[in-house]
Amino acid sequence: MPQSGIIDERMKTVLAKHFLKIARAILLSGQRPLIRAGSFILIVTLTLLTQVGGVVLWLVLSCLQMGWGSWRSSWQSATLIVGGTYLIVTIWAVPAIAPVFGRVPLVCWGQQSGYAPASRLYCLMNRHYVTPETKTVLEQVADSMTGVGPVIYLDAGFPFFDGFPLLPHLSHRDGRKLDLALIYRNLEDNKQVSPAWPLGYWAFAPVDVRDRACPDGGGVLRWSLDWLQRSFEGLELDRVATSGLVMSALNPPNVRRVLIAPDLKRDLGLTDNRLRFAGCNAARHDDHIHLEVR
Ligand SMILES: [Zn+2]
């Protein structure tokens, strides 16, 4: 065989060997079945919760399996590598790439803005991405609430792709939906409280009421969490501030509608026909309001 033919054959052998190694690493096929199944469940869970977490975990596990680390000897070091990579990707890479998909991050860490996340966890989970128009609406709402306190946002959207739902909110899939926390008062010292607790959801108002809109319980994504309501017994809805928030949310002309529970709408004395009921198959909207922007 001529010299060049021998080299070609060797190249093909080397490439085939590497291709096989990479494919095995991508499929995590070197792992024991239980660990492999656990890894895939974790990848799917992280994708559903954070959109990019599953990809980060998959890439790191594949790289480690290819020998770029020693995860077999220490699960602690593998966890540190995955966690560190996720933080780097979330803090630096995702905000830089999101504009390509028409998304921008809401302010998370700055003290200067008139709005803030209920918890930094929303930002660390990449659930604070919206279209630039939606961000402008939030800024306008925050401006009109100056003097009342920062407007607190909850779930917004993921950074990449239209149509990728932000569970458990099936409609938060295009960067044009945004949830805002209600405003409460502490019964002991009358101080304003928003959100009711770091997650912001499930403090139903008026506090400790049943799901009056859907007494039969509604769909699977409609959670009442009765056991949690005792934690909010020291709070009452600040009706003046909350109705001010809802009116401010309706002010920007490109707000298409605001979802709110019918009882809460009546309780606040609001009548605007862009205030709508989400229906019994959606989450309750007497613990937050939901904005939709054109
Ligand atoms: Zn929503």
Side-chain angles (χ1 to χ4, degrees):
M1 192 183 288
Q3 191 70 19
S4 61
I6 294 171
I7 292 170
D8 277 356
E9 277 307 309
R10 277 187 188 158
M11 285 276 287
K12 278 181 191 166
T13 311
V14 169
L15 279 174
K17 201 174 138 192
H18 281 288
F19 179 78
L20 211 64
K21 196 175 170 187
I22 291 168
R24 279 171 57 82
I26 288 173
L27 295 172
L28 304 176
S29 62
Q31 304 309 316
R32 278 173 289 175
L34 206 60
I35 291 180
R36 193 173 171 219
S39 300
F40 280 121
I41 289 170
L42 208 53
I43 287 166
V44 171
T45 306
L46 285 175
T47 303
L48 293 176
L49 288 176
T50 69
Q51 196 178 48
V52 301
V55 176
V56 168
L57 176 62
W58 199 342
L59 284 177
V60 171
L61 289 181
S62 299
C63 290
L64 290 172
Q65 187 171 317
M66 284 183 67
W68 301 352
S70 56
W71 73 319
R72 282 163 202 276
S73 59
S74 163
W75 274 101
Q76 290 94 326
S77 61
T79 306
L80 269 179
I81 294 169
V82 171
T85 310
Y86 177 78
L87 279 182
I88 290 168
V89 168
T90 293
I91 293 171
W92 285 288
V94 175
I97 301 168
V100 176
F101 293 82
R103 304 282 200 282
V104 289
L106 295 173
V107 171
C108 268
W109 315 100
Q111 303 294 317
Q112 307 303 321
S113 142
Y115 68 87
S119 161
R120 303 281 194 270
L121 202 61
Y122 285 101
C123 309
L124 288 174
M125 294 173 79
N126 299 301
R127 300 170 77 95
H128 64 305
Y129 284 84
V130 291
T131 60
E133 296 80 14
T134 309
K135 185 173 184 177
T136 303
V137 163
L138 180 57
E139 287 163 355
Q140 290 169 340
V141 174
D143 280 349
S144 56
M145 291 293 285
T146 303
V148 180
V151 171
I152 301 300
Y153 71 84
L154 309 171
D155 269 330
F158 282 137
F160 309 127
F161 309 115
D162 278 348
F164 195 113
L166 179 105
L167 291 177
H169 319 275
L170 295 177
S171 70
H172 288 228
R173 54 174 67 204
D174 56 6
R176 297 181 179 279
K177 316 293 187 319
L178 174 65
D179 289 347
L180 300 181
L182 304 184
I183 304 168
Y184 305 80
R185 277 199 183 274
N186 192 321
L187 287 170
E188 252 178 39
D189 55 15
N190 206 36
K191 278 193 180 154
Q192 209 169 67
V193 178
S194 184
W197 68 310
L199 282 186
Y201 292 99
W202 307 313
F204 300 108
V207 175
D208 198 25
V209 292
R210 299 284 146 195
D211 186 355
R212 288 175 292 177
C214 306
D216 295 335
V220 288
L221 294 179
R222 194 172 182 88
W223 307 335
S224 282
L225 303 185
D226 291 346
W227 55 270
L228 186 63
Q229 300 311 303
R230 193 170 294 170
S231 322
F232 308 125
E233 278 175 356
L235 301 177
E236 69 172 357
L237 184 69
D238 185 330
R239 288 176 169 76
V240 175
T242 300
S243 62
L245 173 70
V246 179
M247 306 277 272
S248 302
L250 290 166
N251 261 343
N254 53 341
V255 169
R256 195 166 71 88
R257 62 179 189 169
V258 171
L259 299 182
I260 186 170
D263 289 279
L264 184 55
K265 177 182 169 183
R266 201 166 30 248
D267 200 51
L268 295 174
L270 300 167
T271 53
D272 194 298
N273 60 13
R274 285 177 298 157
L275 291 172
R276 302 283 177 79
F277 174 41
C280 288
N281 284 320
R284 288 177 64 167
H285 286 82
D286 47 357
D287 57 339
H288 72 282
I289 59 168
H290 162 109
L291 264 73
E292 296 188 6
V293 177
R294 284 194 185 89

